């Protein structure tokens, strides 16, 4: 394998692992809650959703 192909493969592997890490370790419900209008947001008290 040429050094250029090896470097490309390592870069793609690092990118894939990083994307998986971010997607699996992000609290998407909290992120989406911040994008909602203020009247529709849920208030999180001690990590318990309160409506």
């Amino acid at each position: 394998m040429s050094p250029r192909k090896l470097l490309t493969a390592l870069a793609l592997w690092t990118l894939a692992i990083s994307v998986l890490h971010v997607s699996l370790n992000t609290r998407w419900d909290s992120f989406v809650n911040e994008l909602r209008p203020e009247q529709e947001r849920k208030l999180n008290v001690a990590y318990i959703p309160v409506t």
Side-chain angles (χ1 to χ4, degrees):
M1 184 180 268
S2 71
R4 186 175 178 103
K5 284 185 179 181
L6 180 62
L7 187 61
T8 302
L10 287 174
L12 288 174
W13 177 256
T14 303
L15 179 65
I17 294 298
S18 297
V19 167
L20 280 172
H21 176 75
V22 168
S23 66
L24 293 174
N25 290 307
T26 300
R27 293 192 57 197
W28 292 108
D29 55 342
S30 178
F31 180 74
V32 171
N33 192 37
E34 292 294 323
L35 298 175
R36 290 185 177 153
E38 198 166 325
Q39 296 82 10
E40 295 179 13
R41 291 183 187 173
K42 293 181 182 177
L43 177 62
N44 292 319
V45 179
Y47 302 104
I48 300 172
V50 177
T51 55

